[in-house]
Amino acid sequence: MARRAVATKAKTQTNSPQFNKEQELSAYHDMLLVRRFEEKAGQMYGMGLIGGFCHLYIGQEAVVTGVTMASKKGEDAQITGYRDHGHMLVMGLEPRGVMAELTGRAGGLSGGKGGSMHMFSLEHRFYGGNGIVGAQVSLGTGLAFASKYKGDGSVSIAYFGDGAANQGQVYESFNMAKLWNLPVVYVIENNKYAMGTSVERSSATTDFSQRGQSFDIPGEQVDGMDVRLVHDAAERAIEHARSGKGPYILEMLTYRYRGHSMSDPAKYRSKDEVTKYRQERDPIEQVKARILSEKHATEDELKEIETKIRAIVTEAADFATNDPEPDASELWTDITISA
Amino acid sequence: MPNILMPALSPTMEEGKLSKWLVKEGDTVSPGDVLAEIETDKATMEVESVDSGVVNQLLVAEGTDNVKVNTPIAIVLGEGEKAEDIEVAKTVPEPAEAPVVAAENGVDPAAEKTAAAPKFEPASDPDLPADVEMVEMTVRQALNEAMAEELRRDKDVFIIGEEVAEYQGAYKITQNLLQEFGPERVVDTPITEHGFAGLAVGAAFAGLKPIVEFMTWNFAMQAIDQIINSAAKQLYMSGGQVTAPIVFRGPNGVASRVGAQHSQDYSAWYSHVPGLTVIAPYSAADAKGLLKAAIRSPNPVIFLENEVLYGSTGEVPKVDDFVLPIGKARIARAGADVTIVSFSMGMRYATQATEKLVAAGVDVELIDLRTLRPLDMDTVIASVKKTGRLVTVEEGWPQGGIGAEISAQVNEQAFDYLDAPVIRVTGKDVPMPYAANLEKLALPHVDDVIAAVNAVTYRS
Ligand SMILES: Cc1ncc(C[n+]2csc(CCOP(=O)(O)OP(=O)(O)O)c2C)c(N)n1
Ligand SMILES: [Mg+2]
């Protein structure tokens, strides 16, 4: 049956799962890469280099980092919505390719034709990058169907928001996933808001980990700001799915620091709430503090990591600024495949 | 009691095999008794007796193939019936074949079906007092005023959608409505388009008049089944009993740099569907007058706004109740040389092109359709008869577009008046690309309209 973890108390849990030095440093690196990349993207948006919608992942870095650490890179499939930059960076897609897609250039991951919300990589088994809220849940279930059909042992990880969790196709997918015991892990990134609507105002029940109950899908609520807890829960969920027991739901309690997209009046929440999360729960600061107190690295060594990441991000931004726009002939390519 | 006829297993079955008799002549049968087994290449079925009686005669032998549906296969006599009474019935014709037979006899079976579709006669725009005050406002304000006025006027009107209340609308069209009308009438929903669209249609069946806001029409694709299968067809399916007085509205069309899934024009999609009214205004005044008309309409109305136009301003007459007629195109500029027909955002390209063309000496007649269903073809045809040349302008895809429909109708109704083939200016036949340069290429341009006019007037 479904079970729950008491996520909000995770910080004070005594037997919380620990990371070794390598894991701490790897998590720190990946989360910082996402943070710095997204800050840069926000800046470039402000400069008019990025158009349309641009949904930043700042604050939620621990979720995709912990889950991806628990997955088999290049084998397990991942799919998400439009808040997708972090997923790609942590999965190992080229930062310059992501940034150049944000600016709509030829060197972007979709050749400039997709934009912020639509990037993909078959090599990394990343299936987007989806603009329609909830669509990725059925699609991710389909990736799991293919995995079972082919018997390739891979797991599909489908991320979606608290807002998306109310779409009908989520429950249609849950039913099929359990009916056929498909190897899929549903990761609900509950950042408390869907645009300006808080979870309390949109949802009859707000414990999303229990949304699979009537389909007999186990679920856990996880402190999504602590990458160790995310990783620990994800290992359990992925193992469950890979061993043929069917779907698993992880509700990650997380928070986005920035607005929904770049233009967001943010009147629906208080400054205090945002500040509190940033100061007391920041996923990167948590790892950093542990690294220093455990003496996994010195301040200087962490600075060095930061410097390297800044260089990567700067290089990506430069590339994305100077790379040419796609050739005009690209307007007419990739519509259908001529057999 | 009638003859026992060869039954049909399915509506398409024409004949079958009588594989087995389970009764013989002289047997007494009661309702539910199995008389025979029949089969086709797809299925088998038992023929049951409906009444009680005595089997008088088996007319078709067991094992007979190709027995036509409705052929008498047995005579069962009820109490007091005699075999002679039944004799005539043996030669009953096969009703299933009847219409075809009639056609072969030279009677046109379509004749009675093709009563002409009734013609829709739109009203004219209301006459305004000569000294009417005109107020400059944005399309956004015009839409907001229209809803506020109708919410005030009719307590059955309510608005429902994502972020319409506390957030004041994703595009601020519902600004201050929550404050004035409260949360019972301005209802925030979860992100569940299929669900809340269906809910609103149900509420309309029960007599309410919902205004459903889709954050954009792209997300209404989640709900298109309820819009078409439930709202649009309900009146017809119920033989006129159940109405769906509902407005579905929100921004439609191309928005800037948001990529393929968030940028497309649904005008042609909805205009295809009988039962729907489809409105796509361009000016602030039309936005206000037509949205008020839509809310009062007893029919389901698709109201297509445009994000890019929300901030554009126009003059709106300050009268107590400014309602415009649905289904009436507006002649934005009268002219004699060439007709340009457009709507919504297309009007921006068409208007700019018209200014340049007029300056260059071309007397353009510019028509703003305003309503896409019913389509005001009378206005278009009258114009084409005058100018002999037609260019249509829209942002949507070319195939099956609004321009395609207009061109087809002009072909049918005014072919002899045309001095040049009709030209459609449309969005390119591709999903919307994100890159700035490609997006520009995908859209129609003022220069495209001018080039098309030059072509139909042979000026190039
Ligand atoms: C079907 C559909 N409806 C509405 C939207 C507009 N929209 C984009 S994101 C969003 C909020 C989603 O919130 P949530 O699922 O919590 O994800 P988050 O943005 O918090 O990551 C909405 C309403 C959409 N893209 N697709
Ligand atoms: Mg959310």
Side-chain angles (χ1 to χ4, degrees):
Chain A
M1 238 2 267
R3 46 184 214 155
R4 340 178 19 165
V6 192
T8 42
K9 291 192 194 130
K11 272 172 80 177
T12 53
Q13 272 177 8
T14 45
N15 60 345
S16 62
Q18 300 302 317
F19 267 5
N20 61 30
K21 174 181 171 180
E22 193 194 339
Q23 288 173 310
E24 293 281 32
L25 287 172
S26 157
Y28 179 72
H29 174 274
D30 287 359
M31 292 197 288
L32 198 65
L33 174 62
V34 175
R35 178 74 53 97
R36 295 289 171 263
F37 182 96
E38 292 290 67
E39 287 165 352
K40 191 73 183 175
Q43 190 188 18
M44 290 173 65
Y45 191 95
M47 292 159 63
L49 286 161
I50 297 171
F53 297 130
C54 185
H55 311 84
L56 303 182
Y57 199 61
I58 296 176
Q60 302 181 209
E61 296 92 343
V63 176
V64 77
T65 302
V67 172
T68 303
M69 282 172 82
S71 73
K72 284 193 190 164
K73 277 199 182 184
E75 285 181 38
D76 292 340
Q78 302 206 38
I79 185 165
T80 186
Y82 42 83
R83 201 177 298 288
D84 57 353
H85 314 160
H87 300 68
M88 292 183 280
L89 296 174
V90 173
M91 287 182 78
L93 278 72
E94 280 285 318
R96 51 151 56 191
V98 178
M99 198 66 100
E101 192 58 40
L102 299 188
T103 55
R105 306 305 169 96
L109 285 175
S110 298
K113 290 158 86 165
S116 160
M117 298 185 284
H118 309 301
M119 283 178 253
F120 311 84
S121 165
L122 286 184
E123 183 197 340
H124 294 85
R125 299 216 68 210
F126 179 66
Y127 290 87
N130 295 278
I132 299 303
V133 167
Q136 73 270 32
V137 183
S138 310
L139 298 172
T141 307
L143 295 170
F145 185 93
S147 161
K148 184 167 181 188
Y149 189 95
K150 295 197 230 169
D152 64 13
S154 70
V155 169
S156 161
I157 301 162
Y159 298 84
F160 53 103
D162 47 282
N166 288 321
Q167 282 284 35
Q169 61 181 316
V170 171
Y171 300 92
E172 299 177 20
S173 300
F174 281 4
N175 183 45
M176 290 185 283
K178 185 58 202 173
L179 184 64
W180 300 323
N181 272 335
L182 304 179
V184 55
V185 175
Y186 298 110
V187 180
I188 303 176
E189 300 198 54
N190 180 357
N191 59 12
K192 300 180 85 164
Y193 299 92
M195 294 187 75
T197 304
S198 68
V199 161
E200 291 73 26
R201 292 206 305 115
S202 69
S203 303
T205 58
T206 56
D207 183 344
F208 293 103
S209 71
Q210 302 305 297
R211 289 283 181 99
Q213 222 173 35
S214 46
F215 308 98
D216 205 13
I217 303 175
E220 288 183 47
Q221 214 169 38
V222 182
D223 177 356
M225 304 301 272
D226 185 335
V227 69
R228 297 169 306 174
L229 294 170
V230 172
H231 174 259
D232 182 57
E235 281 205 315
R236 223 169 12 255
I238 291 171
E239 163 54 26
H240 178 95
R242 208 183 307 280
S243 67
K245 295 192 195 115
Y248 204 99
I249 295 171
L250 296 177
E251 179 190 1
M252 299 295 177
L253 299 172
T254 183
Y255 201 76
R256 73 169 151 73
Y257 296 176
R258 297 293 185 94
H260 167 73
S261 177
M262 292 306 295
S263 56
D264 177 353
K267 284 192 192 134
Y268 49 86
R269 61 183 186 184
S270 70
K271 274 221 169 67
D272 277 359
E273 184 181 293
V274 185
T275 312
K276 212 162 144 55
Y277 267 94
R278 297 184 84 129
Q279 288 180 350
E280 295 173 16
R281 308 280 305 280
D282 188 77
I284 300 177
E285 288 305 320
Q286 288 187 42
V287 179
K288 186 175 176 183
R290 285 199 305 270
I291 289 175
L292 291 175
S293 73
E294 296 293 320
K295 302 207 178 358
H296 289 324
T298 64
E299 287 267 11
D300 281 349
E301 284 164 340
L302 289 187
K303 276 246 165 61
E304 223 168 275
I305 295 177
E306 167 119 29
T307 309
K308 274 192 194 141
I309 286 172
R310 278 192 190 282
I312 294 171
V313 170
T314 307
E315 195 276 333
D318 287 347
F319 176 71
T321 308
N322 298 315
D323 194 45
E325 289 186 313
D327 190 82
S329 64
E330 288 296 325
L331 183 67
W332 296 104
T333 61
D334 307 324
I335 298 161
T336 49
I337 296 168
S338 35
Chain B
M1 173 186 261
N3 291 342
I4 308 294
L5 304 179
M6 179 72 172
L9 298 178
S10 71
T12 51
M13 173 177 162
E14 287 174 3
E15 55 183 35
K17 174 178 181 180
L18 202 163
S19 30
K20 193 172 178 192
W21 279 113
L22 296 167
V23 292
K24 51 188 190 311
E25 290 173 4
D27 281 0
T28 303
V29 292
S30 324
D33 285 355
V34 178
L35 304 177
E37 279 174 13
I38 59 168
E39 65 181 76
T40 66
D41 48 358
K42 290 193 209 116
T44 59
M45 184 182 142
E46 293 175 336
V47 184
E48 289 180 3
S49 177
V50 182
D51 296 298
S52 41
V54 174
V55 180
N56 177 265
Q57 204 181 341
L58 300 181
L59 302 168
V60 175
E62 191 167 280
T64 308
D65 273 317
N66 308 331
V67 182
K68 292 248 182 307
V69 166
N70 283 330
T71 312
I73 54 173
I75 297 171
V76 176
L77 296 180
E79 218 173 302
E81 278 180 327
K82 287 201 274 311
E84 302 86 75
D85 303 339
I86 308 295
E87 216 60 33
V88 197
K90 277 194 217 174
T91 56
V92 162
E94 296 150 24
E97 304 288 332
V100 181
V101 173
E104 280 164 3
N105 291 344
V107 182
D108 178 7
E112 65 168 15
K113 286 192 238 155
T114 51
K119 198 166 177 319
F120 177 80
E121 296 288 352
S124 300
D125 283 25
D127 289 327
L128 296 169
D131 59 345
V132 69
E133 189 191 338
M134 299 299 277
V135 184
E136 175 123 332
M137 65 174 76
T138 59
V139 169
R140 175 180 282 110
Q141 284 169 307
L143 294 168
N144 180 266
E145 272 193 7
M147 285 191 287
E149 287 175 18
E150 293 307 300
L151 281 156
R152 262 171 232 138
R153 180 178 170 272
D154 184 347
K155 66 172 181 12
D156 287 338
V157 175
F158 69 100
I159 174 145
I160 184 166
E162 291 160 22
E163 309 286 1
V164 297
E166 293 205 5
Y167 198 81
Q168 308 289 308
Y171 296 96
K172 302 286 171 276
I173 310 302
T174 54
Q175 187 114 41
N176 289 327
L177 297 184
L178 172 69
Q179 288 86 327
E180 182 175 348
F181 302 100
E184 283 77 32
R185 301 185 66 198
V186 185
V187 183
D188 272 332
T189 64
I191 310 170
T192 50
E193 288 85 3
H194 195 199
F196 70 70
L199 179 152
V201 174
F205 289 169
L208 298 184
K209 295 166 188 164
I211 305 170
V212 176
E213 174 172 309
F214 290 115
M215 191 175 284
T216 78
W217 275 96
N218 303 289
F219 314 141
M221 277 207 280
Q222 301 281 320
I224 199 165
D225 179 73
Q226 293 289 19
I227 297 172
I228 294 173
N229 265 331
S230 302
K233 300 174 183 172
Q234 187 68 19
L235 186 67
Y236 199 81
M237 294 189 301
S238 68
Q241 274 188 77
V242 184
T243 58
I246 185 167
V247 177
F248 300 100
R249 50 156 291 272
N252 170 58
V254 176
S256 168
R257 305 294 306 283
V258 291
Q261 291 184 335
H262 282 71
S263 205
Q264 75 183 57
D265 178 6
Y266 292 89
S267 304
W269 293 52
Y270 290 104
S271 86
H272 190 61
V273 183
L276 293 179
T277 297
V278 183
I279 298 173
Y282 169 61
S283 72
D286 288 347
K288 179 166 184 187
L290 286 169
L291 183 53
K292 281 169 70 80
I295 297 168
R296 291 182 197 187
S297 167
N299 296 305
V301 179
I302 303 292
F303 198 88
L304 303 169
E305 300 156 12
N306 188 293
E307 186 198 330
V308 182
L309 295 176
Y310 278 150
S312 72
T313 54
E315 307 237 290
V316 179
K318 192 173 180 179
V319 290
D320 271 352
D321 203 16
F322 181 61
V323 183
L324 288 173
I326 289 172
K328 184 80 186 161
R330 182 176 61 95
I331 298 176
R333 182 188 190 277
D337 292 347
V338 58
T339 304
I340 303 178
V341 175
S342 189
F343 58 95
S344 186
M345 186 62 189
M347 277 298 291
R348 180 174 276 184
Y349 310 119
T351 304
Q352 289 170 10
T354 297
E355 281 165 15
K356 291 190 181 176
L357 287 160
V358 170
V362 186
D363 190 15
V364 173
E365 177 143 308
L366 176 58
I367 296 175
D368 180 355
L369 290 170
R370 304 194 294 187
T371 299
L372 303 178
R373 176 181 270 272
L375 202 48
D376 183 3
M377 281 309 294
D378 284 356
T379 299
V380 176
I381 296 290
S383 177
V384 169
K385 285 184 175 171
K386 183 169 63 171
T387 64
R389 300 152 204 279
L390 175 63
V391 169
T392 65
V393 185
E394 67 193 299
E395 275 194 331
W397 291 311
Q399 180 164 335
I402 300 293
E405 172 63 22
I406 290 174
S407 174
Q409 290 207 39
V410 166
N411 218 23
E412 289 166 355
Q413 297 176 48
F415 182 75
D416 291 339
Y417 294 85
L418 286 175
D419 294 322
V422 178
I423 295 185
R424 292 170 294 161
V425 176
T426 67
K428 297 292 187 300
D429 199 15
V430 302
M432 187 55 67
Y434 168 74
N437 65 327
L438 297 185
E439 188 182 70
K440 225 175 261 160
L441 292 172
L443 290 170
H445 291 276
V446 174
D447 286 346
D448 299 334
V449 181
I450 293 173
V453 167
N454 286 340
V456 297
T457 54
Y458 303 108
R459 286 160 29 93
S460 43

